[in-house]
Amino acid sequence: MNISVDEKKSREGTANREVLMKGLLRQLRAEIINGVWEPGKRLPEQELCREYNVSRTPLRDALKELEREGLVMITPFSGATVTPVRGTDLEDRFQVLRSIEQFAAELLAQDGSKTAVEKLSRLQERMDECIKNQDITGYYRLNDDFHVTLVQECGNTALADMHAVAMSHIARARKIVNEYEGVDHSGSCEHWGIIQMIEMKSPLLAVEYVRTHLVNISENVLRKIVIL
């Protein structure tokens, strides 16, 4: 099938807009999670277009995707505003996260995935160093990597996509409540337990370790969100 020059240019233009949109999406999502754009803050389109040197089309596409993810709310004539952090919504997100990670741990433990064990162990070793040095920022960044790796090693793209959306909300909440607190070894011990159960090819115990770990995290975060 022959493709005309105009059609080829149109396809290339669409591909370029898609690349721009995905780049903006990653950037804005990270900024919302890290508190650059606080809950209730409006995202000014003109300023963002100038800052990132893009037209409004890819920016608006990125904002629509963030709305689908629940991180912004778009209203007519007002534009996009960062959504508040609500305990009820977070509780739902934690349930989703728990289900996904339990399933991922079960799958990995069925064959004792050596690659997953090695990757998770390296991340946890670095996290232990952060605990020793009270490097809070580094610890939570690696912690996110740990949970993302746990799911990605299953090789299920759909599962990883759902997990990423839930993680963005939880990472944002944890950034708010834990920014000025230290870190201890409780989470580290739970992580090592998950790794051990995967390595021992014990799916039932791997699921239980993940469940216990995420229940502890959710109770801690939700309790602090209510206080705030």
Side-chain angles (χ1 to χ4, degrees), residues 145-192:
D145 291 345
F146 182 97
H147 288 271
V148 169
T149 299
L150 179 69
V151 176
Q152 286 184 339
E153 283 303 303
C154 296
N156 187 317
T157 303
L159 205 66
D161 289 344
M162 289 188 291
H163 183 260
V165 174
M167 277 289 289
S168 65
H169 287 266
I170 290 163
R172 179 166 69 130
R174 199 181 57 230
K175 172 76 176 177
I176 294 171
V177 301
N178 289 339
E179 186 172 8
Y180 302 107
E181 295 187 9
V183 289
D184 58 35
H185 285 280
S186 58
S188 174
C189 293
E190 292 168 359
H191 279 184
W192 282 118

